[in-house]
Amino acid sequence: MRRARVGGQIQEAWDEGDEGSAVFEYKACARCTYKVRLREQMVTVLELPDGEMFKAADLGDTTAFKVESRSSRLIAVKPLTMGVD
């Protein structure tokens, strides 16, 4: 995979996007694992359904990602550099 080496790209598609167009919802599944795609310079917020709470957030690579608890149901994740998985 080749990636641009210049960060901070802006997609014009979001200039006229509908409200909620940047929101993706999974159907809750007790035994499922969900993949989350992150984008450089953007914060992704993970929200659990009502009645569910995060106990902890663990990162395998603390030099490439930042994670912050926003509430018992919200966690924010941000890549710290380009091209990280």
Side-chain angles (χ1 to χ4, degrees), residues 6 8 42 49 51-52 79:
V6 178
M42 301 296 289
E52 300 290 330

Side-chain angles (χ1 to χ4, degrees), residues 8-61:
Q9 297 95 344
I10 297 174
Q11 293 180 339
E12 288 79 18
W14 295 110
D15 291 345
E16 298 179 25
D18 295 330
E19 184 175 332
S21 61
V23 175
F24 184 83
E25 293 184 33
Y26 287 101
K27 290 190 179 239
C29 170
R31 295 179 172 252
C32 295
T33 300
Y34 302 102
K35 293 182 181 182
V36 178
R37 186 171 291 178
L38 306 177
R39 183 166 177 206
E40 64 192 59
Q41 306 298 323
M42 301 296 289
V43 175
T44 297
V45 177
L46 308 175
E47 180 179 10
L48 292 179
D50 289 334
E52 300 290 330
M53 295 189 307
F54 287 105
K55 289 183 181 179
D58 299 311
L59 284 175
D61 187 348

